[in-house]
Amino acid sequence: MSDVVMARPVLEGAREGVPRGGAAFDGFVRAGTTVEMKAFTGVTGDAGGFAVPREIDAAIDAVLKGISPIRAIANVVKVGTAGYRKLVTTGGTPSGWASETGPRPETATPVFTEIAPPMGELYANPSASQAMLDDAAFDVEEWLAGEIATEFAKAEGAAFVGGSGVNRPKGFLTYPTGPASDATRAFGTLQHLASGAAADFGTNPQERLIDLVQSLRAPYRQGACFVMNAATLARIRKFKTADGAFLWSPGLTAGQPATLLGYPVVEAEDMPDVAANTLPIAFGNFRAGYLVAERTETAILRDPYSNKPFVGFYATKRIGGAVVNSEAIKLMKIAAS
């Protein structure tokens, strides 16, 4: 059998037909974290020695990590530079009535706001010894690519929710919030509704959830969803109406999502737990409200020269994120009022 790895997807800077140990990797995902990994060697057990030279199962079981799914519900765009800008109109074009022969005075023009999603670069720079690459019973390069992709996905998901906007995306929970409605609230400020109690849900929490849904205007409710973590969802699933019916509706058939008040629920483990002054529940149309800007796909460089006998794997991904429509996302705040 040839030692050439066949039919593997090609990464940037790689080509098909590279011998095993070359720069071709087997499928990797887009998404992100800033991660630093120690060098792999066959000298110590937990740093790689467990894989060399014992006969072990070629597939490694990994502990699954919670990856935030905000990317799946947001608007994702590919950009050519880090200077990406988006224009948002914050007011319609006013109109007026006139008789058939009456004068038509000039009307006001729309108002534009420029949105510049804060961008940052995710990177990972692990290395493995050449002996490790040669002797391990599994494909170390493919495994490293998978580990990097998972960590990147975990980190970018956390940034989309709570990122500071400094060298990383700005999370939607870090924007200012206020109780004012869309008609009077400043652009860029998200509306929050109080839960009715200082550190928990108040009385009739199901009515507060209905108010949260109805605070989102009808055009945005098409395609809207709830976002919360598993602990909050466990509590919400126990809420009942006055006649004893659960607010939560399980999917009627396989593959159909469960719903809350008729809207799907997205579990995002980066959302906070229920506590005083937190924002544990979001409801909105994230496709209209949150923008993810990617400059390129994940790039991985293989460097066998700089630190012999180690082979370095330098992975980078440039990504940004920001709220582009503060009317499309509503939040529930744990507060009395």
Side-chain angles (χ1 to χ4, degrees):
M1 177 183 292
S2 170
D3 65 342
V4 172
V5 180
M6 301 178 63
R8 293 207 291 179
V10 179
L11 288 184
E12 181 180 325
R15 55 187 175 79
E16 270 186 278
V18 177
R20 186 174 296 276
F25 286 91
D26 197 7
F28 65 92
V29 199
R30 66 175 67 121
T33 3
T34 300
V35 94
E36 293 184 3
M37 302 175 69
K38 299 299 183 182
F40 289 95
T41 69
V43 178
T44 58
D46 57 358
F50 289 135
V52 193
R54 303 175 185 84
E55 292 292 330
I56 62 172
D57 190 342
I60 298 179
D61 291 332
V63 177
L64 296 179
K65 299 177 176 66
I67 298 175
S68 179
I70 301 302
R71 167 186 284 273
I73 59 176
N75 180 25
V76 181
V77 298
K78 302 291 185 182
V79 298
T81 69
Y84 176 76
R85 299 291 188 271
K86 182 177 179 64
L87 290 179
V88 178
T89 178
T90 57
T93 303
S95 57
W97 294 95
S99 65
E100 180 180 354
T101 59
R104 271 69 169 173
E106 182 180 352
T107 60
T109 57
V111 177
F112 289 94
T113 297
E114 183 185 68
I115 303 294
M119 300 193 74
E121 189 168 282
L122 290 165
Y123 79 95
N125 194 19
S127 62
S129 68
Q130 188 61 55
M132 174 75 173
L133 297 175
D134 293 340
D135 297 344
F138 58 93
D139 190 333
V140 177
E141 293 179 76
E142 180 179 343
W143 169 72
L144 276 176
E147 285 289 300
I148 290 170
T150 302
E151 289 295 335
F152 274 17
K154 183 169 179 269
E156 73 166 16
F160 296 153
V161 174
S164 65
V166 179
N167 296 324
R168 69 195 65 196
K170 186 171 177 63
F172 63 88
L173 290 189
T174 62
Y175 282 80
T177 68
S181 65
D182 292 347
T184 58
R185 197 176 65 258
F187 181 81
T189 299
L190 303 182
Q191 183 181 5
H192 72 248
L193 279 72
S195 65
D200 205 342
F201 293 107
T203 57
N204 300 321
Q206 65 277 7
E207 295 183 6
R208 301 281 179 166
L209 289 174
I210 293 173
D211 290 340
L212 182 66
V213 169
Q214 295 306 128
S215 68
L216 189 69
R217 293 193 289 115
Y220 298 122
R221 289 201 298 270
Q222 305 292 327
C225 63
F226 285 95
V227 178
M228 63 189 77
N229 68 20
T232 304
L233 181 56
R235 300 190 61 183
I236 297 294
R237 291 186 63 173
K238 300 169 188 174
F239 289 172
K240 297 180 181 179
T241 60
D243 57 3
F246 284 100
L247 298 182
W248 176 269
S249 300
L252 298 179
T253 59
Q256 291 295 317
T259 59
L260 176 62
L261 297 175
Y263 295 93
V265 179
V266 174
E267 286 190 42
E269 291 309 308
D270 298 297
M271 293 291 287
D273 291 331
V274 174
N277 295 315
T278 61
L279 301 164
I281 301 174
F283 176 75
N285 188 323
F286 284 80
R287 195 77 62 189
Y290 194 83
L291 175 73
V292 175
E294 290 185 314
R295 185 174 178 188
T296 60
E297 297 287 350
T298 304
I300 301 183
L301 302 178
R302 185 178 190 272
D303 178 14
Y305 308 110
S306 298
N307 189 27
K308 297 185 290 291
F310 292 97
V311 178
F313 299 90
Y314 179 59
T316 58
K317 177 174 185 155
R318 191 159 185 82
I319 190 164
V323 170
V324 293
N325 187 339
S326 54
E327 295 184 1
I329 300 174
K330 305 294 182 179
L331 305 171
M332 178 167 284
K333 183 176 183 179
I334 304 301
S337 60

